Amino acid sequence: MSEATGHSALWVWRHPRPQSAAGRCIGAGTDLPVHWRRAKRLARRIQAHARRYRLPHQVQTSPLARCADVGRWLRRWGWQHRLDAGLLEIDFGAWDGQTWDRIGQPAVEAWVADFLGHAPTGGESLQQLLQRVAAWQPGACCVVSHGGWMLARRWLQEHGERRPSALEWPAAPGYGEVWRLA
Protein backbone atom coordinates (compact mmCIF):
# COMPACT_ATOMS: atom_id res chain seq x y z
CA MET A 1 0.00 0.00 0.00
CA SER A 2 1.58 3.22 -1.05
CA GLU A 3 1.70 6.43 0.93
CA ALA A 4 0.68 8.33 -2.21
CA THR A 5 -2.69 6.61 -2.33
CA GLY A 6 -3.30 6.90 1.40
CA HIS A 7 -3.74 3.15 1.96
CA SER A 8 -1.24 3.08 4.81
CA ALA A 9 -3.11 5.83 6.66
CA LEU A 10 -5.98 5.48 9.05
CA TRP A 11 -8.61 8.09 8.20
CA VAL A 12 -10.98 8.72 11.11
CA TRP A 13 -14.05 10.93 10.88
CA ARG A 14 -15.96 12.17 13.88
CA HIS A 15 -19.65 11.43 13.58
CA PRO A 16 -22.11 14.17 12.56
CA ARG A 17 -23.71 16.39 15.22
CA PRO A 18 -26.22 14.26 17.13
CA GLN A 19 -29.67 15.49 18.06
CA SER A 20 -30.32 16.68 21.64
CA ALA A 21 -26.65 16.65 22.75
CA ALA A 22 -26.24 20.31 23.70
CA GLY A 23 -25.31 20.85 27.36
CA ARG A 24 -25.18 17.12 28.12
CA CYS A 25 -22.42 14.64 28.90
CA ILE A 26 -22.61 12.28 25.95
CA GLY A 27 -20.59 9.07 25.95
CA ALA A 28 -20.91 5.40 25.11
CA GLY A 29 -24.09 5.02 27.16
CA THR A 30 -26.13 7.58 25.24
CA ASP A 31 -27.16 6.48 21.76
CA LEU A 32 -28.40 9.72 20.23
CA PRO A 33 -29.75 9.82 16.68
CA VAL A 34 -28.29 11.89 13.87
CA HIS A 35 -30.52 13.51 11.26
CA TRP A 36 -30.41 11.30 8.17
CA ARG A 37 -29.24 14.20 5.98
CA ARG A 38 -26.19 14.74 8.17
CA ALA A 39 -25.34 11.04 8.09
CA LYS A 40 -25.75 10.91 4.32
CA ARG A 41 -23.69 14.09 3.83
CA LEU A 42 -20.77 12.66 5.82
CA ALA A 43 -21.04 9.36 3.95
CA ARG A 44 -20.76 11.28 0.66
CA ARG A 45 -17.65 13.07 1.94
CA ILE A 46 -16.09 9.73 2.94
CA GLN A 47 -16.97 8.29 -0.45
CA ALA A 48 -15.30 11.24 -2.24
CA HIS A 49 -12.23 10.92 0.02
CA ALA A 50 -11.94 7.21 -0.77
CA ARG A 51 -12.20 7.94 -4.48
CA ARG A 52 -9.53 10.67 -4.25
CA TYR A 53 -7.07 8.41 -2.38
CA ARG A 54 -8.11 5.15 -4.10
CA LEU A 55 -9.09 3.55 -0.82
CA PRO A 56 -10.97 0.27 -0.53
CA HIS A 57 -14.71 0.64 0.01
CA GLN A 58 -14.60 -0.59 3.59
CA VAL A 59 -15.61 1.31 6.70
CA GLN A 60 -15.58 0.50 10.40
CA THR A 61 -17.86 2.40 12.74
CA SER A 62 -18.80 2.56 16.36
CA PRO A 63 -22.10 0.71 16.88
CA LEU A 64 -23.77 3.87 18.21
CA ALA A 65 -26.29 5.37 15.77
CA ARG A 66 -24.40 8.64 15.37
CA CYS A 67 -21.58 6.67 13.70
CA ALA A 68 -23.30 3.54 12.43
CA ASP A 69 -25.86 5.51 10.39
CA VAL A 70 -23.01 6.90 8.27
CA GLY A 71 -21.76 3.36 7.65
CA ARG A 72 -25.25 2.22 6.71
CA TRP A 73 -25.38 4.85 3.96
CA LEU A 74 -22.06 3.64 2.64
CA ARG A 75 -23.29 0.02 2.76
CA ARG A 76 -26.27 1.04 0.61
CA TRP A 77 -23.74 2.24 -1.97
CA GLY A 78 -21.82 -1.05 -2.05
CA TRP A 79 -19.32 -0.57 0.76
CA GLN A 80 -18.46 -3.18 3.37
CA HIS A 81 -19.50 -1.90 6.80
CA ARG A 82 -18.37 -3.39 10.08
CA LEU A 83 -19.54 -2.31 13.54
CA ASP A 84 -16.75 -2.31 16.12
CA ALA A 85 -17.31 -1.73 19.85
CA GLY A 86 -13.62 -0.85 20.17
CA LEU A 87 -14.48 2.47 18.51
CA LEU A 88 -16.99 3.51 21.18
CA GLU A 89 -16.75 6.85 22.94
CA ILE A 90 -15.56 6.83 26.57
CA ASP A 91 -18.21 5.44 28.91
CA PHE A 92 -19.23 8.15 31.35
CA GLY A 93 -21.26 5.73 33.48
CA ALA A 94 -23.80 7.51 35.71
CA TRP A 95 -22.93 10.84 34.06
CA ASP A 96 -23.91 9.65 30.59
CA GLY A 97 -26.84 11.61 29.20
CA GLN A 98 -26.99 13.99 32.19
CA THR A 99 -26.67 17.74 31.88
CA TRP A 100 -23.36 19.15 33.09
CA ASP A 101 -25.30 21.28 35.60
CA ARG A 102 -26.86 18.15 37.09
CA ILE A 103 -23.49 16.39 37.29
CA GLY A 104 -22.21 19.42 39.20
CA GLN A 105 -18.95 21.27 39.61
CA PRO A 106 -17.63 19.14 42.54
CA ALA A 107 -17.87 15.96 40.44
CA VAL A 108 -16.15 17.62 37.48
CA GLU A 109 -13.40 18.95 39.77
CA ALA A 110 -12.81 15.43 41.14
CA TRP A 111 -12.41 14.22 37.56
CA VAL A 112 -9.97 17.00 36.69
CA ALA A 113 -7.95 16.30 39.86
CA ASP A 114 -7.47 12.65 38.83
CA PHE A 115 -7.90 13.11 35.08
CA LEU A 116 -6.34 9.82 34.07
CA GLY A 117 -7.75 7.55 36.78
CA HIS A 118 -11.17 8.94 37.67
CA ALA A 119 -14.18 7.06 36.34
CA PRO A 120 -17.73 8.21 37.01
CA THR A 121 -19.81 5.52 38.75
CA GLY A 122 -20.10 2.58 36.38
CA GLY A 123 -17.95 4.32 33.78
CA GLU A 124 -14.54 4.17 32.21
CA SER A 125 -11.47 6.19 33.16
CA LEU A 126 -9.33 7.96 30.59
CA GLN A 127 -6.61 5.40 31.35
CA GLN A 128 -9.03 2.61 30.41
CA LEU A 129 -10.00 4.44 27.20
CA LEU A 130 -6.33 4.90 26.27
CA GLN A 131 -5.70 1.18 26.86
CA ARG A 132 -8.73 0.22 24.74
CA VAL A 133 -7.68 2.56 21.94
CA ALA A 134 -4.07 1.30 22.05
CA ALA A 135 -5.27 -2.31 21.74
CA TRP A 136 -7.63 -1.56 18.84
CA GLN A 137 -6.55 -2.94 15.46
CA PRO A 138 -7.95 -1.37 12.30
CA GLY A 139 -9.75 -3.61 9.84
CA ALA A 140 -10.31 -0.76 7.37
CA CYS A 141 -8.58 2.52 6.61
CA CYS A 142 -11.87 4.50 6.82
CA VAL A 143 -13.38 4.81 10.29
CA VAL A 144 -16.26 6.75 11.85
CA SER A 145 -15.88 7.19 15.60
CA HIS A 146 -16.17 9.73 18.42
CA GLY A 147 -14.27 12.80 19.57
CA GLY A 148 -12.93 11.18 22.75
CA TRP A 149 -11.75 8.11 20.86
CA MET A 150 -10.01 10.28 18.26
CA LEU A 151 -8.33 12.37 20.96
CA ALA A 152 -7.07 9.23 22.71
CA ARG A 153 -5.70 7.80 19.45
CA ARG A 154 -3.95 11.07 18.60
CA TRP A 155 -2.58 11.39 22.15
CA LEU A 156 -1.02 7.93 21.90
CA GLN A 157 0.38 8.71 18.45
CA GLU A 158 1.97 11.99 19.54
CA HIS A 159 2.86 11.30 23.19
CA GLY A 160 3.09 7.53 23.61
CA GLU A 161 2.90 6.48 27.25
CA ARG A 162 3.13 10.00 28.69
CA ARG A 163 0.24 10.62 31.07
CA PRO A 164 -2.02 13.54 30.13
CA SER A 165 -3.30 16.16 32.50
CA ALA A 166 -6.66 17.86 32.13
CA LEU A 167 -4.90 21.13 31.21
CA GLU A 168 -3.05 19.65 28.25
CA TRP A 169 -5.88 17.49 26.91
CA PRO A 170 -6.88 19.04 23.55
CA ALA A 171 -10.32 20.05 22.37
CA ALA A 172 -12.37 17.50 20.47
CA PRO A 173 -12.46 17.57 16.67
CA GLY A 174 -15.46 19.20 15.05
CA TYR A 175 -18.42 17.09 14.01
CA GLY A 176 -17.68 15.47 10.66
CA GLU A 177 -13.97 16.40 10.87
CA VAL A 178 -11.43 13.91 9.52
CA TRP A 179 -8.02 13.17 11.06
CA ARG A 180 -5.24 11.09 9.58
CA LEU A 181 -4.03 8.87 12.41
CA ALA A 182 -1.58 6.02 12.82
Side-chain angles (χ1 to χ4, degrees):
M1 290 191 245
S2 76
E3 190 67 19
T5 61
H7 285 235
S8 61
L10 178 65
W11 299 97
V12 184
W13 284 262
R14 186 178 182 196
H15 59 77
R17 180 183 306 276
Q19 297 173 5
S20 304
R24 296 170 61 197
C25 176
I26 305 297
T30 307
D31 197 5
L32 295 178
V34 169
H35 192 281
W36 68 269
R37 283 190 185 116
R38 287 183 175 157
K40 185 177 182 181
R41 190 175 310 128
L42 182 54
R44 286 284 186 214
R45 287 183 38 226
I46 293 169
Q47 191 175 43
H49 185 90
R51 188 173 23 252
R52 182 178 325 112
Y53 289 99
R54 299 183 188 143
L55 302 175
H57 289 180
Q58 301 170 342
V59 64
Q60 281 177 267
T61 71
S62 159
L64 296 177
R66 53 195 185 266
C67 297
D69 287 354
V70 176
R72 289 184 189 105
W73 277 107
L74 290 165
R75 187 176 59 224
R76 287 181 186 126
W77 303 329
W79 283 52
Q80 293 177 4
H81 173 216
R82 186 166 68 99
L83 299 174
D84 188 336
L87 294 167
L88 283 167
E89 180 60 279
I90 191 168
D91 183 348
F92 284 109
W95 291 7
D96 230 310
Q98 301 296 318
T99 64
W100 288 104
D101 287 343
R102 184 164 183 193
I103 293 165
Q105 192 63 30
V108 172
E109 287 172 4
W111 178 30
V112 169
D114 182 15
F115 190 61
L116 194 64
H118 183 79
T121 305
E124 181 178 35
S125 69
L126 178 58
Q127 179 64 46
Q128 290 169 313
L129 173 65
L130 288 166
Q131 290 168 344
R132 175 165 54 89
V133 169
W136 181 82
Q137 294 296 314
C141 55
C142 293
V143 170
V144 182
S145 190
H146 305 272
W149 191 95
M150 292 170 71
L151 288 169
R153 188 77 179 196
R154 181 175 271 179
W155 180 270
L156 292 168
Q157 178 179 319
E158 294 177 357
H159 303 284
E161 297 296 315
R162 192 164 75 74
R163 300 167 62 98
S165 72
L167 290 176
E168 63 189 343
W169 194 249
Y175 292 112
E177 188 174 331
V178 61
W179 285 359
R180 182 178 177 167
L181 299 170

